Amino acid sequence: MDRLDRETYERELLRLQTELVKLQEWVRETGARLVVIFEGRDAAGKGSAIKRIAEHLNPRVARIVALPAPSGRERTQWYFQRYVAHLPAAGEIVLLDRSWYNRAGVEHVMGYCTPEEHRLFLRQCPLFERMLVEDGILLRKYWFSVSDAEQERRFRKRLDDPLKRWKLSPMDLESLTRWEDYSRAKDEMMVHTDISDSPWYVVEGDDKRRARINMIAHLLGTVDYHEVTAPRITLPERPSSTGYQRTARALQTEVPDHAAGLVRDNHNRKVKT
């Protein structure tokens, strides 16, 4: 399959992001509640998809939720309890960068939960999600899939990139040696939780551009939204000055002009060539 070229990708992404803004305004206007779950293997492209979705949205409407490991107190709660606190109110969108499905994946594979806790999760999860849907929440679940070769390639690339090295954790490296364990855990999870009320949608992620476009287009297609007519805004006339004078800059502590050095260096390089 040919990879999606950058020009086509950027053109379609901009169109889809424009539609996402329309979706956001519909959610805010109608009081809808939308939850989008992003799950999948490490380096499968979940984070980059979330970034493109949220890029032009109002953070007061669309929230990204990426919870850390549970605290000691949270470990004694009902498993779903800490996630309930992050569910949307009317007019909100929540993007879950990993979710309650941690129990079916990393916790189960790495032994952070007991077999009994894992079985209880698989039994309760469909019931929990049916309650959310019955209460009117729009729940969408996406599983980002990536091949073992592509995952390893992305891990190696992160090792050499100082901007992305933080993404590599001991847990990520462990996933390389437990590939089949995670595969079996995912298959078992799907058997129990791919239900008609909240089905799983699988995103093939080896081509990141294609994956983002496919996922966003699908999400938009699953919600029966419409464009909300925005109120007409007219800029008021600026009033005449009443004599205000700006405080002298010498009395303020300004940020040093770092950019001036860049402009100077760039000019010097051009002169030399």
Side-chain angles (χ1 to χ4, degrees), residues 104-115:
V106 63
E107 289 190 17
H108 173 53
V109 173
M110 300 300 295
Y112 296 153
C113 69
T114 66

Side-chain angles (χ1 to χ4, degrees), residues 36-53:
V36 186
I37 289 176
F38 296 79
E39 288 288 348
R41 294 185 184 274
D42 298 314
K46 301 180 297 297
S48 63
I50 293 171
K51 179 179 178 181
R52 272 66 180 188
I53 290 172

Side-chain angles (χ1 to χ4, degrees), residues 50-230:
I50 293 171
K51 179 179 178 181
R52 272 66 180 188
I53 290 172
E55 186 174 4
H56 299 290
L57 300 184
N58 183 344
R60 292 182 178 86
V61 176
R63 293 184 285 111
I64 300 172
V65 175
L67 299 184
S71 66
R73 180 176 183 274
E74 287 172 331
R75 291 190 185 96
T76 67
Q77 296 173 342
W78 176 48
Y79 177 72
F80 295 94
Q81 188 168 336
R82 73 180 188 132
Y83 294 100
V84 170
H86 296 277
L87 292 174
E92 293 181 347
I93 300 170
V94 170
L95 308 175
L96 281 173
D97 187 356
R98 294 200 181 278
S99 64
W100 43 83
Y101 283 100
N102 278 339
R103 175 135 296 178
V106 63
E107 289 190 17
H108 173 53
V109 173
M110 300 300 295
Y112 296 153
C113 69
T114 66
E116 292 75 17
E117 289 171 330
H118 177 242
R119 286 193 292 270
L120 182 62
F121 169 84
L122 294 178
R123 186 166 68 251
Q124 288 186 342
C125 184
L127 302 175
F128 173 65
E129 291 181 359
R130 284 193 180 99
M131 285 192 292
L132 299 183
V133 173
E134 286 175 359
D135 200 59
I137 288 178
L138 304 174
L139 179 62
R140 303 293 183 267
K141 305 187 305 193
Y142 290 94
W143 177 271
F144 283 73
S145 181
V146 67
S147 65
D148 51 355
E150 178 63 16
Q151 183 190 53
E152 184 173 352
R153 188 191 71 80
R154 292 176 186 177
F155 280 168
R156 293 189 184 282
K157 188 176 180 181
R158 289 178 180 181
L159 282 172
D160 300 325
D161 188 342
L163 298 179
K164 295 182 178 180
R165 196 176 299 140
W166 63 270
K167 292 184 176 183
L168 272 181
S169 68
M171 198 76 64
D172 297 327
L173 302 179
E174 187 80 19
S175 67
L176 284 175
T177 61
R178 293 177 178 263
W179 180 271
E180 291 191 0
D181 293 337
Y182 275 102
S183 295
R184 294 187 183 96
K186 183 263 292 184
D187 290 344
E188 185 177 10
M189 176 196 78
M190 291 283 189
V191 167
H192 288 84
T193 63
D194 186 17
I195 59 177
S196 58
D197 296 291
S198 57
W200 277 105
Y201 300 107
V202 177
V203 182
E204 292 299 330
D206 275 12
D207 181 345
K208 280 190 174 184
R209 293 174 188 165
R210 188 185 295 269
R212 295 166 193 159
I213 293 297
N214 290 344
M215 183 264 150
I216 297 172
H218 181 272
L219 172 63
L220 291 167
T222 66
V223 182
D224 187 21
Y225 71 98
H226 59 265
E227 186 170 0
V228 175
T229 302

Side-chain angles (χ1 to χ4, degrees), residues 14-27:
L14 180 60
R15 187 189 72 80
L16 293 173
Q17 288 177 326
T18 302
E19 289 299 314
L20 284 168
V21 173
K22 294 178 185 178
L23 171 64
Q24 168 192 266
E25 293 307 291
W26 175 83
V27 166

